[in-house]
Structure formats: C-alpha cells, structure tokens
C-alpha cells in the first residue's frame, strides 16, 4: 500500500463520508486494520442508506416478491414480469429527492436519466415514464421555482431522449415545504430471451466503461442522499449531477443493439456511488471479485484523484462485462454511436474489491464486507405511545355550500387539471399511448401484439400521516384500482418509500408499519413487489416529511381495443356506484380544504371487498358492458362524477337519495359527497347492460347502486349540487395557473 | 423509373378501431372518405427514413409507412446512400442533441449532402418536426423555427387546415380539409421576414395552417405562436415539405386520430398515378 495511512478517522472525516463512529469501529474490527482515506470513502458510499438499505433491508424482506409472472424480483437493476407473447415488462421507480431540492432542473432530469438506465441495462427498450411529484404549497415563490424546475427537467430529459412521459401524480402539502419529492418510474419491454442481468462472472473477463467521461460532478451523491438537508445544503450543489439526454440516447440505442448478444456477459449502469458502487455490485452479484484501474478511465478534467474517479456520479455511463476476445468487437458497436469506451477492470476469482491507480494498489477490501457488511440498523427506540392521533372531533363546520365545495375542490391544487404540466412532456412518442395522461392510468400498447400495459403511480400521504399501515394498504389498492379502471389486470408493483429521518423512533415505526401495510395489501390482491427504492432523511432542520408511500402499478390487458376510459360517453347512459357508501371525511381533501386540518383515522379498507370490486370491474369491462369506469378517490363521489363529466365533456344528473340518507346535516352530506371511502368506482353503461351488471354485482357480492344518468351540460346532485360543466371546467383548468 | 415491386397482394387494410368517447376530431376522420389503400393497387413505395443520433420518430415513421402498406428503409446519418428511396423522410427528434440550435448540426451530416442533391433534383423530401427544422437550417426551405412563444415545450393535439393542394403531399386532400395531428416541440414557431411570408402566401406554399377544432382561424393563438399560424410549407418546386406536427402519430384511431394517414397515402398515390418518379434517386 502506498497510500497514506491514518491512525484513526476524526469525527470530521466520518461526517464527510456519513459514517457513524460505531460503523467505523465495526469496519476496523472486520478489516483488522485502519482503512486508508480512499477505502473509508468507498465504504462510506456503499454503507450509505442509499446503497446499503441498512435501515430498510430487514423490513423489506417481508414483502411478497414471488408469483407465476415474476421473472426477476428485487436485487437487480429493475424487476421483470412475464406479460405473455414471450415478452417481459421491466420496471422500477426511484427517488431523486435530495438533488431536486437543491437544483430542481438537473436533479429531476438526472432522476429520469438514472431510471431509464436501470431499464435499458436489462436489455429492455423503455416505453414509458411516470413521475410522482410533491411540493409545498405554491403560494411561496420558492415552491414555484422548484415545481417549474422539476417539470422542466423531466421534460427536458424525457422529451430529448424520446421516451414518452405518460402519467404520474402531483401533490402539494405543507409537509413538503422543506423537502420536495421527485420519484420517477420507467417501464420497458424486452423479449424474455434477451433479458440481460448485471451479474458478473468468469475470472479474467474484462469490464468496459462506456459513455460519458468521468468528471467531478456528483461526488458523494449517495452519502448526500443519506443525510438530512440543512442550511448548508445549497453549498452541496456540486454533489448534483448534470444530465446529457443526447448522450444517453446514443448509449441506450447502442446497449439495446447488444441486448441478448452472447458477447455481453453482464451489463450494469453507473448510478449511486458511481464506478465504486457499480463495480462492487456487479462482482458481488456474481460471487466473484473485481480489480479496477482508475488510471484507465477517461476523464473530463485533469488532476482527479482515485477517490474522485471512484465516487464521481457523472451520468450516462455503463459497464459491460465481456471475454477479452470480444472486447474489440463490442467497442466497434459503441464507436458506431460515437461512444468512447475503456477497459477499466478485470473480474477476479476471489471476492475482493481492489482499486489500482496504474501500478499502485490504493484499495483492497473484502467485497462482502463492502457490499453487505453495513451493520443493519434496527428500531432506534420503542414504538412511541401517546396522543399521536389527531382527533377530528370539534373541528368547525365547513364554510361552503355543496355548490361552492365542488368548485373549490375541483379547482384546488391537488385535484385541479394537470394539463399545464403534461402538455410540457412528450407523451405520444413511440406511437403507443392509447390512454393519454389525465385519466386513472395511462395505457400503452405493446408494439407487435394486441397487449396493453396500464400504468399508474399512487400514494396519499394524508392517509399515511394518520396511519402509516392503513395508508400504505390504501396506496396499493388505489394504484390497483387505477389500473383496473382501464380494464387491465394488475400484475406487479414497484414502490418508492419516502420518509424522514429514520433515526427518530416515530419515523422508523412508520416505515415499519408502511412496509407491513404494503405487504398485506399485495398478498391480499396477489400482486408481487418486484422492485423498489427507499429514500430516507427527507428532513430539513428537524422538519421531516409525512410518511409517503408511492406505489407504481403495472397491469396487463390482453386486447387493448377492449380498454375502458374514465370519461362519461353517451347521453342517456346510466351511472352507478360500485362499492360502499359511508360518510368518512377524516383525512380527506375536503377536510383539509374546508376545515384546514388532517385529522382522525383514514378511510376503512376491507381488502376482501376491494378484491371483489376489482374483479367485478374487470369482468364487466372484458364483457364489454361498460362505457366508462373511474376510480373514486380524492374528493369522493362528487369529484369522481365531476371528473368523469370533464373527461367526457358531458354533464350528469345524480340523485342524493340514491346515496342513502343524507341525515339532514351538512356534515353528513359532505361526508357522503366528498368522503373518500375506499374500494369504489363510478361506472356508466347503456341501459340494456343494467340487468347483466346487477347480476354480475350479485355474483361478486359487491354493493351496486344506480346513481343517475349521463347527459346535459350541468353537474347535478339533486337538492344539493347544480353547477354548469363550463364553471367546473374553468375552476379545474385554472388550478395550477400562476396568479399574480 | 417504374415501380420496383408489385403484387404484394392480399395485404390487409389495417382494421380501424373506434376510440371510445371519441373526440369530434375522430368523428371527422370517421366521416371522411379514405383514399384508396395503395398497397391494394399493387404499388410499393420505398420511404427512406433518416436516422441521426438523437432522432426518435424514426421508428414511428417506419410504423406508419408500413401501416400504409409501403416499404421503409433506414438511412444512417454517416452514409451518403439514399438506398433508392422514392421519398426521404427527415423525422422528429433532437438530432445531435440540438444543444446549439435545432437542426444546426444535422444539416452538415454526410447524409444531408445526398438529401440536398436529391431535393434539388426534384426528389420528394418530407421534414417532420426536427426534420422541418433541419430543412430550414439547410436552406431547402425558407424561414426558421424558433422557441415557442410560451417558452415551453408543447405536446398537444392540433388541427391543421389544408391550405394548398398543389403538392404531392397534399394533392389528395381538398383545400379547407381539417386534419387532427398532434405537435410535440419546444422550437416550432415559424418565423420569416415580411417579404418571405408574402411570397409564401402569394405562391400558395403554405401547406398547413393551425386552426381551431371547428376549422376557424386561431389568429395568432397557435400553440407555438407561428407567424401567419403556419404549420407547414413547401419549397418552390413543391417537392419538399416541412411541417411541425407529427402525422406519423395520427395514423390509427386507437391513438386518437387517423388523419395523418391521408398524407402518407397522398404521396404514394400521386407517384403511382404518374407511373414515374420525378427523378431517379441519387446514390
């Protein structure tokens, strides 16, 4: 070893690499010596929460990950499921919260770039992107800056590379004022035989580093994403990477040319912790070792140290493992796309992680210790007891009449039109988007087949704030409901868990409960979790976000022509509600807007009923009985009806008596109109279908209530709501427009 | 030059699937009489589709061409061979990243030397979105495409009125036809000096103009703020068309509109109607 050894790391040294003293002591014990500075930095990056999942891993193990369609579960760059016709759907969701909070455009852009690489690394051609975004209220200029920057960054990257952004979600809440959330999901398609893994094998095989040259951008990105933000965070802007979507497009096309090519033994993109993280994981998955020579990596700038080369998070880079005899011919494929490549590493038989700088060996660590050795973190304390629940009792009555309420809700930032956002994203490139953004789920056809993929992201943090377990279960069920509304059967889930500082007992237990909730709902609905991401430390100056579970759901419809859409269609069609009617205002959008609180218990959820309701809708759609199906979510029945009117550009009449007793109280009516009871759809259909639907509802044992009919140019609920569709549209479309 | 291949008989007309909850645009498309399907006449045209690094509509254009029953060949930006194309399509995308100015680098590609020679000899060249930007940069069409007046990217449906039927591309349409075809661009605002605009109008070289859904003028309120609401223009010889909207995305009702198919069919119809190509392909 020629590197400088140092007797013991100071507190400042450890803070720089985000390791605790206890972790450092564990490292020294396991190593039997002090690490040098480079080794300490490498361990810091790989033991960061972002790379090691040291807090969440013990909990994530409880999730159901197996199923007849699962081709690849968690552990690879993305999950993969069998969608029929010999094809696999490859998908994953990932967060880019911390970088986006500091530099919204590049943070969001590189979030998109990173998730795209995760998909084409597996040999799959990306066909759709979705984004789940959360900000503080837009009344503050800084929130507008973040929101505009993030939307521009997503568009800037996705539009340039030519992958459609087909859906997602957008919420505004106080809890995100100091930590915005940017979660990006990508979905790709590959012939099953061409599925490429990131598992290195064959000692003596070489590793090519392809794509961008390595610069100083993004050093410590993984560690940065694993600590709370503070007043000095803006100074970490150099830890945010800069994206080049054009380069990624070339890299993607070249890699896709090589999908299924026998010369490619493994493919792995460079993401968190750069060359260090990718080489270590590649070798570790294959049960071998790796020796990296940093001197061989092309640099963007001079004077870079081995430490900087190993930890740089420069974007648009990829590793390819190949036999020595195949390297030259593979390089020619990249050269056709004007991509540079260097042989930077060799696979070793023994499980060691060795770094050289030319002739100097500068790092030698046991690979297992590096990748899997971070001491797992358990609960920081017992489950907090006490008055955690805010009760809804005693809140003042709502200030609005039902007419005012429906316009207030439909024009609120959380329920308003997202058209001003998604028109900035190319959502049609690829000639495959059958259901455009704005409905329950996007529907993308699978080229060369009759198949369609329904895609949705969902997560309501008001519910998880009140009850993490219940809220997480609802997130799974609602994402599934969005997919079912198109007629597609949910087949698999990816999840992004966004939480505050897990070193606080309440946050840790919320994480624990949320993962349990996801597991329970997924088991009940028989939908496996095949990939995911955890983002912790979404906390600034002691203020953390509400627990936020984002579920990415993929569903398959065998014949895309059979799809169902959310908007009412034909004058005279009947409208019905499938599912329960209860007056549950706790945790609702109405409660927040009208009463200014988020209190009580989230809506009840009966997963067995949920499953029956979803089967009912799927069967009704495939039998061609429905003209529309819309998930009844935020804003309750009234908003679901208004949305179906807006999407279909036609009015509706609904009788309140059909919804059960109004109890003669304003709050009671509001509970029925705007309460967010679960497991519900608003459907419409031709009169002739009524008998068969009744019979079908009976067979599935689901509540089925006729509500009214489609037609006219007003949205009416007898005796309480009567507004013109034009007024509803005006309120809806103005929701996100900046007011001076 | 006669058709190189005939008799792909039995090529089925693609089934049209009616979109549920169809917009009035779909209704319009449903009512319009479709031009005869060229493949049923036994004519096979070859469309050459340019692929620059950063091009992303190449696959969509290939799909549309094949859906129309014709042959698509890909033309690599580093090559000069047009591979015997009857019509060259410059598709949408961000050629070479478009970090400088859309189309500014692509015009210097080796392939563009052949495209320019082909166009100057009367060959059919069709620039869509980024392709239109490249044609303007290459001076094969007048004017320029600048940032949308909103300063934002726009991906929205648009309605185009056919203003001139005096070109191969629009000959099968009637003047005043309204086509529903989407746009997707950040730099699609057509600008030119007064003299050029007057010339384009006088010579009836404005192929398409943005209008409202009902066909009424947008009067400057187009999604990108183009001068004279121009969506597409042709060159003096009328063998080069540039347009910002994406007809290849409007070839199936399943995707919202099939109005774009008319343009693909027009090209083939006129070429086959004459029985000869205007010029031999340059290779």
């Amino acid at each position: 070893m020629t590197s400088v050894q140092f007797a013991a790391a100071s507190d400042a040294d450890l803070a720089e690499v985000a390791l605790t003293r206890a972790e450092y002591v564990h490292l020294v014990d396991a190593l039997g010596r002090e690490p040098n500075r480079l080794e300490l930095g490498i361990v810091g990056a790989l033991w960061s929460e972002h790379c090691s999942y040291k807090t969440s891993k013990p909990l994530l193990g409880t999730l159901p990950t197996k199923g007849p369609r699962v081709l690849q579960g968690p552990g690879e760059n993305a999950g993969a499921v069998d969608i029929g016709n010999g094809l696999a759907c490859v998908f994953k969701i990932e967060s880019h919260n911390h970088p986006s909070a500091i530099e919204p455009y590049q943070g969001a852009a590189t979030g998109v770039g990173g998730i795209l690489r995760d998909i084409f690394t597996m040999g799959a051609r990306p066909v759709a992107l979705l984004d789940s975004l959360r900000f503080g209220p837009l009344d503050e200029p800084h929130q507008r800056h973040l929101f505009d920057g993030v939307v521009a960054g997503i568009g800037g990257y996705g539009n340039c590379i030519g992958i459609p952004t087909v859906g997602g979600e957008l919420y505004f809440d106080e809890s995100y004022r100091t930590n915005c959330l940017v979660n990006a999901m990508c979905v790709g398609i590959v012939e099953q035989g061409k599925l490429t893994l990131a598992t290195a094998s064959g000692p003596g095989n070489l590793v090519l580093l392809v794509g961008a040259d390595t610069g100083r951008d993004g050093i410590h990105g993984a560690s940065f994403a694993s600590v709370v933000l503070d007043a000095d965070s803006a100074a970490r802007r150099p830890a945010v990477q800069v994206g080049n979507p054009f380069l990624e497009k070339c890299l993607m096309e070249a890699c896709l040319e090589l999908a299924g090519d026998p010369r490619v033994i493994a493919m792995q993109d460079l993401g968190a912790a750069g060359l260090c993280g990718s080489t270590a994981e590649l070798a570790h998955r294959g049960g071998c070792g790796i020796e990296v020579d940093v001197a061989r990596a092309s640099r963007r700038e001079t004077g870079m140290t081995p430490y900087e080369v190993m930890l740089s998070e420069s974007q648009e880079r990829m590793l390819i493992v190949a036999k020595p005899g195949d390297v030259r011919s593979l390089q020619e494929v990249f050269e056709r796309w004007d991509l540079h490549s260097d042989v930077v590493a060799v696979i070793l038989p023994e499980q060691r992680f060795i770094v050289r700088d030319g002739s100097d060996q500068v790092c030698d660590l046991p690979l297992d210790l590096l990748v899997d050795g971070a001491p797992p973190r358990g609960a920081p304390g017992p489950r907090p007891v006490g008055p955690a629940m805010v009760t809804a009792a005693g809140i003042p009555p709502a200030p609005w009449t039902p007419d005012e309420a429906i316009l207030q809700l439909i024009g609120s930032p959380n329920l308003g039109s997202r058209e001003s956002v998604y028109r900035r994203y190319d959502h049609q490139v690829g000639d495959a988007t059958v259901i455009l953004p704005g409905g329950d789920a996007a529907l993308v056809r699978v080229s060369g087949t009759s198949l369609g993929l329904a895609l949705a992201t969902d997560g309501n943090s008001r519910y998880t704030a009140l009850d993490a377990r219940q809220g997480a279960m609802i997130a799974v069920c609602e994402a599934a409901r969005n997919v079912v509304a198109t007629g597609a059967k949910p087949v698999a889930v990816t999840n992004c868990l966004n939480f505050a500082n897990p070193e606080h007992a309440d946050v840790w237990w919320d994480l624990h409960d949320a993962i349990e909730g996801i597991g329970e709902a997924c088991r009940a609905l028989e939908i496996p979790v095949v990939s995911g991401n955890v983002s912790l430390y979404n906390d600034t100056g002691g203020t953390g976000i509400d627990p936020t579970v984002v579920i990415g759901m993929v569903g398959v419809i065998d014949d895309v022509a059979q799809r169902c859409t959310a908007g009412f269609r034909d004058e005279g069609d009947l409208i019905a509600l499938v599912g329960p009617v209860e007056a549950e205002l706790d945790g609702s959008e109405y409660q927040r807007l009208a009463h200014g609180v988020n209190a009580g218990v989230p809506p009840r959820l009966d997963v067995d009923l949920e499953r029956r309701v979803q089967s009912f809708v799927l069967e009704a759609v495939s039998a061609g009985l429905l003209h529309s199906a819309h998930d009844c979510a935020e804003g309750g029945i009234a908003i679901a009806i208004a949305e179906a009117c807006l999407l279909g550009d036609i009015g509706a009449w609904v009788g309140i008596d059909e919804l059960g007793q109004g109890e003669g109280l304003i709050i009671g009516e509001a509970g029925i109109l705007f309460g967010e009871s679960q497991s519900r759809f608003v459907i419409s259909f031709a009169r002739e279908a009524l008998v068969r639907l009744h019979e079908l509802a009976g067979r599935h044992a689901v509540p089925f209530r006729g509500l009214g009919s489609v037609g006219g140019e007003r949205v009416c609920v007898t005796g309480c709501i009567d507004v013109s569709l034009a007024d509803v549209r005006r309120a809806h479309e103005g929701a996100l427009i900046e007011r001076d | 030059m006669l058709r190189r291949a005939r008799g792909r008989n039995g090529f089925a007309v693609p089934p049209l699937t009616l979109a549920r909850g169809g917009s009035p645009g779909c209704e319009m498309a449903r009512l319009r009489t479709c031009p005869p399907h060229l493949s049923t006449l036994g004519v096979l045209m070859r469309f050459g589709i340019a692929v620059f690094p950063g091009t992303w509509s190449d696959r969509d254009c290939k799909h549309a061409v094949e859906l129309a029953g014709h042959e698509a060949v890909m033309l690599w930006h580093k090559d000069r061979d047009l591979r015997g194309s009857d019509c060259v399509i410059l598709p949408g995308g961000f050629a070479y990243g478009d970090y400088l100015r859309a189309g500014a680098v692509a015009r210097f590609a080796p392939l563009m030397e052949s495209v320019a020679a082909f166009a100057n000899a009367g060959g059919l060249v069709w620039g869509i979105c980024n392709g239109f930007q490249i044609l303007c940069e290459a001076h094969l069409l007048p004017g320029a495409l600048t940032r949308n007046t909103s300063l934002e990217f726009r991906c929205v449906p648009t309605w185009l009125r056919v203003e001139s039927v005096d070109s191969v591309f629009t000959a099968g349409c009637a003047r005043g036809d309204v086509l529903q075809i989407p746009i997707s661009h950040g730099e699609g605002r057509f600008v030119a000096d007064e003299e050029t605009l007057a010339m384009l109008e006088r010579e009836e070289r404005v192929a398409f103009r943005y209008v409202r859904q009902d066909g009424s003028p947008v009067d400057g309120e187009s999604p990108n703020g183009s001068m004279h609401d121009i969506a597409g223009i042709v060159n003096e010889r009328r063998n080069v068309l540039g347009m910002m909207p994406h007809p290849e995305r409007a070839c199936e009702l399943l995707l919202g509109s099939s109005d774009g198919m008319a343009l693909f069919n027009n090209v083939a119809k006129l070429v086959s109607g004459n029985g000869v190509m205007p010029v031999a392909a340059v290779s």
Side-chain angles (χ1 to χ4, degrees):
Chain A
M1 291 268 179
T2 54
S3 293
V4 182
Q5 303 283 324
F6 56 111
S10 68
D11 288 348
D13 293 330
L14 294 182
E16 193 189 337
V17 298
L19 285 178
T20 64
R21 178 62 61 182
E23 285 167 341
Y24 178 72
V25 169
H26 178 83
L27 171 67
V28 173
D29 281 352
L31 216 49
R33 63 176 171 86
E34 298 282 342
N36 65 34
R37 196 168 281 278
L38 172 66
E39 290 170 335
L40 185 66
I42 286 175
V43 171
L46 279 168
W47 284 15
S48 69
E49 185 62 47
H50 196 73
C51 291
S52 74
Y53 288 64
K54 58 193 166 194
T55 302
S56 56
K57 202 190 254 175
L59 304 172
L60 292 168
T62 62
L63 292 175
T65 58
K66 297 195 163 49
R69 284 181 184 263
V70 177
L71 300 170
Q72 177 63 55
E76 269 284 343
N77 283 295
V81 289
D82 180 354
I83 55 168
N85 289 44
L87 299 173
C89 173
V90 177
F91 65 100
K92 189 183 183 185
I93 191 166
E94 206 162 66
S95 64
H96 232 214
N97 304 337
H98 286 69
S100 303
I102 303 301
E103 167 49 52
Y105 185 99
Q106 291 298 343
T110 54
V112 171
I115 195 67
L116 280 163
R117 280 196 300 285
D118 278 336
I119 302 308
F120 70 75
T121 299
M122 311 255 318
R125 179 171 284 279
V127 296
L129 288 164
L130 296 93
D131 301 284
S132 178
L133 311 178
R134 283 161 179 79
F135 303 93
L138 286 179
D139 51 16
E140 185 193 334
H142 182 62
Q143 300 300 326
R144 179 66 72 173
H145 160 74
L146 291 173
F147 170 52
D148 282 344
V150 164
V151 169
I154 290 168
Y157 208 98
N159 297 345
C160 181
I161 195 169
I163 308 298
T165 300
V166 299
E169 45 170 359
L170 171 62
Y171 283 103
F172 301 94
D173 190 277
E174 279 297 331
S175 124
Y176 307 112
R177 210 180 263 286
T178 48
N179 291 82
C180 63
L181 299 186
V182 176
N183 296 175
M185 173 171 166
C186 183
V187 181
I189 293 172
V190 61
E191 288 171 38
Q192 287 173 18
K194 292 186 174 178
L195 203 58
T196 310
L197 297 183
T199 305
S201 62
N205 284 339
L206 300 178
V207 183
L208 271 173
L209 174 62
V210 188
D213 291 346
T214 301
R216 287 195 170 95
D217 47 335
I219 290 171
H220 282 315
S223 311
F224 167 55
S226 305
V227 293
V228 297
L229 296 180
D230 54 34
D232 298 331
S233 294
R236 293 196 185 250
R237 198 164 287 148
V240 178
Q241 316 85 334
V242 176
N244 179 350
F246 167 64
L247 187 56
E248 179 126 320
K249 165 76 173 166
C250 296
L251 186 61
M252 176 176 81
E253 295 297 341
C255 288
L256 290 177
E257 269 185 39
L258 291 172
D261 190 310
R263 289 173 297 177
V264 175
I265 293 168
M267 216 179 328
Q268 164 75 46
D269 74 310
L270 280 79
L275 190 56
C276 162
S278 56
T279 50
E281 284 168 21
L282 189 61
H284 188 254
R285 280 197 202 98
C288 37
I290 195 162
E291 180 179 309
V292 182
D293 182 355
V294 291
R296 289 165 171 263
S298 296
R299 323 272 173 96
R300 207 175 280 170
E301 40 202 319
T302 55
M304 287 180 73
T305 63
Y307 186 94
E308 289 170 325
V309 174
M310 288 305 286
L311 289 172
S312 158
E313 291 190 4
S314 290
Q315 299 290 289
E316 291 92 23
R317 296 182 298 163
M318 186 72 81
L319 295 175
I320 310 279
V321 182
K323 292 200 179 94
D326 291 332
V327 166
R328 187 61 217 131
S329 67
L330 287 172
Q331 284 183 309
E332 281 167 10
V333 173
F334 291 108
E335 280 159 14
R336 188 174 120 87
W337 288 95
D338 296 319
L339 291 166
H340 181 74
S341 55
D342 301 308
V343 175
V344 296
V346 59
I347 303 299
L348 303 176
E350 69 279 15
Q351 295 191 37
R352 301 208 67 79
F353 185 77
I354 294 172
V355 180
R356 317 178 64 83
D357 183 7
S359 56
D360 293 344
Q361 181 170 307
V362 290
C363 161
D364 181 0
L365 293 167
L367 190 58
D368 207 44
L369 176 70
L370 183 59
V371 176
D372 239 359
R377 288 186 181 171
R383 184 185 284 273
V385 286
M389 196 185 86
V390 192
T391 77
I395 56 173
W400 301 320
T401 65
D403 269 1
E404 288 165 347
I406 195 168
L407 293 176
Q408 288 285 346
L409 259 76
I410 200 85
S412 70
N414 285 344
L415 301 183
S417 168
R418 269 75 183 112
E419 203 252 345
S420 63
V421 175
Y422 62 72
R423 71 184 178 190
R424 295 167 70 181
Y425 304 147
D426 189 335
H427 45 258
Q428 292 179 300
V429 61
D431 254 359
T433 318
V434 175
I435 297 181
L436 303 179
D440 284 316
L443 187 64
V444 177
R445 68 171 173 185
V446 180
S447 151
T449 72
S450 66
L451 297 170
L453 296 177
L455 311 170
T457 61
D458 211 281
N460 186 325
S461 66
R462 278 174 300 113
Y463 302 160
T464 33
L466 295 176
D467 181 336
R469 182 188 168 89
Q470 179 85 349
M473 289 179 72
I474 291 176
V476 172
C477 293
E478 183 165 350
R481 233 176 283 143
N482 288 334
V483 162
V484 164
T486 67
K489 184 173 169 44
V491 297
V493 153
T494 181
N495 65 78
C496 198
L497 305 172
N498 304 273
F499 283 74
N501 185 348
E503 293 157 28
H504 298 161
D506 55 339
V507 174
W508 191 93
W509 282 100
D510 278 347
L511 176 65
H512 169 272
D513 294 352
I515 292 171
E516 266 192 7
I518 293 173
E520 184 176 340
C522 284
R523 273 186 293 271
L525 299 178
E526 295 173 30
I527 311 172
V529 178
V530 297
S531 57
N533 170 244
V534 181
S535 170
L536 302 177
Y537 298 96
N538 292 286
D539 183 309
T540 301
T543 308
I545 60 163
D546 284 342
T548 307
V549 172
V550 176
I551 298 293
M553 184 74 67
V554 172
V556 175
I557 183 167
D558 290 334
D559 182 1
V560 77
Q562 291 287 319
R563 77 206 175 281
C564 191
T565 49
F568 291 143
R569 204 176 92 180
D570 295 334
E571 181 105 26
D573 279 355
L574 298 179
I575 303 171
L577 180 78
V578 187
V581 173
E582 290 174 64
E584 295 178 292
L585 273 184
D586 289 359
S588 67
E589 201 61 35
Y590 181 90
Q591 188 190 45
R592 181 236 294 272
L593 285 171
H595 303 291
V597 295
N598 183 39
V601 290
R604 276 181 287 281
L605 178 72
D606 172 350
V607 283
D608 193 48
L609 175 63
E610 179 75 45
R611 201 180 54 224
R612 296 200 307 273
V613 166
Q614 293 187 13
S615 321
F616 164 82
V617 172
L618 284 178
E619 199 171 331
V621 172
S622 67
L625 297 174
L626 301 186
H627 285 177
S628 76
H630 183 33
D631 165 35
C632 193
E634 284 90 351
I637 296 171
I639 293 302
I641 289 168
E643 286 168 345
C645 289
L646 286 170
L647 286 164
D649 200 19
I650 189 165
W653 173 89
V654 169
I656 186 78
D657 289 346
E658 318 297 334
L659 292 171
Q661 286 301 317
E663 295 165 31
L665 295 168
I666 298 287
I667 188 76
E669 283 184 3
I672 288 171
L673 292 171
F674 304 110
E676 300 175 3
S677 295
Q678 295 299 302
S679 316
R680 303 195 294 183
F681 289 86
V682 168
I683 58 174
S684 74
F685 46 88
R687 281 166 195 277
E688 303 78 67
L690 180 61
V691 174
R692 284 186 64 194
L693 283 168
H694 250 301
E695 182 268 324
L696 195 60
R699 192 143 47 80
H700 287 272
V702 297
F704 180 94
R705 284 179 182 78
L707 290 185
S709 60
V710 175
E713 289 173 350
R714 302 188 71 78
V715 180
C716 296
V717 179
T718 321
C720 56
I721 294 175
D722 185 5
V723 289
S724 79
L725 188 54
D727 286 343
V728 175
R729 187 175 297 284
R730 200 170 304 115
H732 191 58
E733 288 176 355
L736 295 182
I737 306 300
E738 192 166 8
R739 296 182 190 89
D740 292 323
Chain B
M1 180 178 124
L2 293 173
R3 315 292 351 110
R4 78 174 53 74
R6 289 177 186 276
R8 261 174 80 179
N9 295 326
F11 196 98
V13 179
L16 294 180
T17 315
L18 294 187
R20 285 174 201 233
S23 66
C26 300
E27 195 60 35
M28 232 177 292
R30 229 173 288 156
L31 296 175
R32 187 174 299 115
T33 317
C34 285
H37 206 271
L38 264 297
S39 59
T40 61
L41 304 177
V43 175
L44 184 68
M45 263 194 75
R46 180 177 289 179
F47 287 82
I49 299 171
V51 183
F52 302 98
T55 294
W56 40 238
S57 275
D58 47 338
R59 294 156 58 88
D60 296 355
C61 285
K62 180 172 187 285
H63 173 71
V65 163
E66 289 173 352
L67 198 63
H70 301 289
E71 184 188 13
V73 292
M74 306 317 251
L75 308 177
W76 186 239
H77 68 117
K78 290 179 185 172
D79 298 339
R80 287 184 170 76
D81 184 0
L82 299 185
R83 301 177 65 188
S85 303
D86 300 319
C87 173
V88 173
I89 295 179
L90 304 180
F94 284 65
Y96 303 92
D98 276 347
Y99 289 119
L100 176 57
R101 201 173 59 236
V105 178
R107 65 165 289 207
F108 294 108
L111 181 69
M112 282 305 293
E113 290 173 25
S114 309
V115 172
F118 182 62
N120 289 331
L124 296 178
V125 177
W126 187 0
I128 297 168
C129 193
N130 194 218
F132 187 11
Q133 295 163 337
I134 295 168
L135 288 173
C136 288
E137 286 289 337
H139 302 296
L140 289 169
L141 288 172
L145 282 316
T146 62
R147 279 193 83 183
N148 299 346
T149 44
S150 62
L151 302 183
E152 286 180 358
F153 195 91
R154 280 289 177 272
C155 177
V156 291
T158 60
W159 288 268
L160 312 179
R161 191 172 62 211
V162 178
E163 298 286 273
S164 162
V165 292
D166 185 19
S167 82
V168 174
F169 305 97
T170 53
C173 302
R175 186 190 290 258
D177 272 358
V178 175
L179 311 176
Q180 184 190 336
I181 297 179
I183 58 161
S184 186
H185 59 248
E187 299 181 18
R189 178 176 184 250
F190 182 79
V191 296
D193 57 40
E194 280 307 320
E195 207 177 314
T196 306
L197 287 168
M199 174 190 72
L200 289 171
E201 298 289 357
R202 191 175 58 245
E203 297 177 359
E204 297 195 358
R205 285 166 55 190
V206 176
F208 306 108
R209 225 185 284 276
Y210 298 107
V211 291
R212 295 186 204 286
Q213 193 168 353
D214 62 7
S216 62
V218 292
D219 290 328
E221 301 286 306
S222 71
N224 52 33
S226 285
M227 289 182 169
H228 290 213
D229 305 328
I230 286 172
I233 57 170
V234 291
N235 67 343
E236 207 176 347
R237 288 178 71 171
R238 286 161 162 77
N239 59 318
V240 177
L241 167 69
M243 62 190 295
M244 286 312 296
H246 288 274
E248 79 282 4
R249 296 187 186 181
C251 288
E252 293 166 88
L253 280 175
L254 182 70
L255 304 179
S257 167
S258 62
D259 293 2
M261 186 54 88
L263 303 184
F264 287 92
N265 282 342
N266 283 342
V267 176
K269 188 161 98 176
L270 203 93
V271 170
S272 68
N274 291 345
V276 289
M277 275 295 292
V279 289
V282 178
S283 34

